[in-house]
Every structure is written in structure tokens, then in C-alpha cells.
Amino acid sequence: MVLSASHAGGGFATGNQENTYFVCSGWAGLLSLALSMAILTGIIAIAMRLYNKYDLHSYKELFEKLYHPFDKLELVFELFFYGVILLLCLVSSAITLTFAFVDRFENSKVVDKVPTLFEKCCVLSAFISILSVVISLGGLTNIIKYDYGYMGYLAIFLIIIRC
């Protein structure tokens, strides 16, 4: 059960991930879902066995044990992971966000005066790009920190005082 939950993550809670990647592909999608869960479950099971066998206490110790004959290879992996993989995740998330935003609002009243569909898409893409940069410059952590603080005051007002 834990292994299945670790595969599922947050995307399965909404149903969006299943629909986007697995359901729309028919039987091939369902088979790839089962195969991906089996591969991930096998990798996690091997990691758990290594943890127990060598009495490891952190991921760092696990990777040190995995790379033991080639100790410096761990540094190459970390540089690759943080340098390349996270950058690719950032870019793919930005592209996905932009396409979802454009798809949702291309027929809205806000962009009715823009003549062609291509220009509407360009305007919406530019808007979401500028908004993303502004949020990034403002510091997402600060925005979340201050928003949560004010939402707490709002919750006190709406829940406690209202009752």
C-alpha cells in the first residue's frame, strides 16, 4: 500500500494524471501504468532492503553505499540532478502551465477584442510569462508566508467571530 501511494503522489488525488497519461491511451496506457508502478515498487523495495541490511539512516548514506567503488560518482550524479534535471522540470512545468492557461482562457471575454486565435494565444502566453516572473521576483516563499498569515486572520474572522 505504501509503495502504491509513493507512486501515486499528488497527481492521482485529482485524477488529472491518470486521465492525461494513462486513460486516454486505452489498454496501452493501463498496461504502462501497471508497468511503471511495478518498476518503481521494485526500486523502492531494493532501497528498503539496502537500508535494513547496512543499517542506513539517510538518503545520503544510501547513495554513498550505492556508489561505493566509485565514491566521486556521487558528486557527478548530484550535479547532474540539480543542474539538469531540475532545470528540465522547471521548463516543463512552465510550458505546461502556459498551455493550460491559454487553453482555459483563449475564449474568455478578456481577450475578445484580439482578432485571431494565434494572437490571443500570444497575448495570454505573454501575460502568464510576465506574471510568473513577477511572482518569482517577489519571492514565492514570501508570498506564501504572508498570504498564510492573512488567511489565518480571515479564517478567525469567518469561523470564530461569525459563530
Side-chain angles (χ1 to χ4, degrees):
M1 182 69 119
V2 171
L3 297 175
S4 175
S6 69
H7 170 74
F12 272 67
T14 62
N16 188 28
Q17 186 177 8
E18 297 98 346
N19 188 34
T20 303
Y21 298 109
F22 302 116
V23 175
C24 66
S25 300
W27 285 106
L30 295 177
L31 291 175
S32 67
L33 170 64
L35 179 65
S36 65
M37 283 186 67
I39 291 170
L40 184 64
T41 301
I43 291 171
I44 292 174
I46 291 169
M48 289 173 140
R49 286 190 196 120
L50 283 173
Y51 263 95
N52 293 333
K53 182 178 179 180
Y54 295 108
D55 193 34
L56 303 175
H57 300 288
S58 68
Y59 286 119
K60 182 163 180 56
E61 291 177 0
L62 174 67
F63 282 111
E64 286 172 354
K65 186 56 89 173
L66 287 173
Y67 292 123
H68 176 59
F70 310 103
D71 292 333
K72 300 298 179 193
L73 194 60
E74 177 190 3
L75 298 174
V76 173
F77 171 77
E78 287 184 16
L79 287 173
F80 174 76
F81 179 76
Y82 289 116
V84 176
I85 300 298
L86 290 178
L87 179 67
L88 290 175
C89 289
L90 175 71
V91 170
S92 67
S93 296
I95 291 171
T96 303
L97 175 69
T98 303
F99 275 103
F101 191 88
V102 168
D103 184 50
R104 182 174 182 124
F105 293 106
E106 67 186 1
N107 295 323
S108 69
K109 293 180 182 180
V110 176
V111 289
D112 268 348
K113 295 182 180 179
V114 180
T116 66
L117 182 61
F118 177 76
E119 290 173 351
K120 286 180 184 182
C121 292
C122 289
V123 167
L124 288 170
S125 296
F127 174 75
I128 192 62
S129 298
I130 292 168
L131 181 64
S132 297
V133 169
V134 168
I135 289 173
S136 297
L137 290 175
L140 190 57
T141 350
N142 288 333
I143 292 171
I144 291 172
K145 179 173 66 174
Y146 294 123
D147 264 354
Y148 281 152
Y150 292 123
M151 289 300 154
Y153 295 134
L154 183 64
I156 290 172
F157 178 74
L158 292 177
I159 296 171
I160 297 173
I161 295 177
R162 187 170 178 210
C163 293

